[in-house]
Amino acid sequence: MKNIIIIILIAFSSAIIFSVNGCVASDKVKAKSGIQLWSENCMRCHNTPSPNTFSPEQWETVGMHMQSRALLTNDERDKIVKFLQQN
């Protein structure tokens, strides 16, 4: 019985560690610019929209919506939206 509890605790601890590490963006991803993230992420599912398709305010809304669909971090979303708003 004691061994089973130890095995369960180890499995649970491992699951927590792996899930937390999986949520942290790598340095390679953090170094990417907004245009890189835009071209890599938006083209996965549809044609890349032109930056002048929407107003800066509309890009904020689109960014929030697409963040959950494309599984973007807040930083990635912010970089993409900033790029789209400036162009």
Side-chain angles (χ1 to χ4, degrees), residues 30-81:
K30 287 180 185 179
K32 291 186 178 186
S33 68
I35 192 169
Q36 287 174 305
L37 293 166
W38 172 68
S39 64
E40 291 173 4
N41 288 286
C42 300
M43 290 179 68
R44 288 186 304 185
C45 299
H46 52 82
N47 292 332
T48 308
S50 170
N52 63 8
T53 302
F54 299 107
S55 70
E57 295 79 22
Q58 289 171 320
W59 277 124
E60 281 290 331
T61 303
V62 171
M64 295 295 283
H65 174 74
M66 293 308 299
Q67 178 180 5
S68 62
R69 298 187 65 117
L71 303 176
L72 300 171
T73 65
N74 289 340
D75 187 45
E76 291 169 328
R77 181 206 61 221
D78 291 345
K79 286 181 179 182
I80 292 169
V81 169

Side-chain angles (χ1 to χ4, degrees), residues 1 9-11 19 23 27-29 31 33 37 41-42 64 77:
M1 180 69 173
L9 287 175
I10 291 171
S19 66
C23 294
D27 290 336
K28 190 175 183 179
V29 171
S33 68
L37 293 166
N41 288 286
C42 300
M64 295 295 283
R77 181 206 61 221

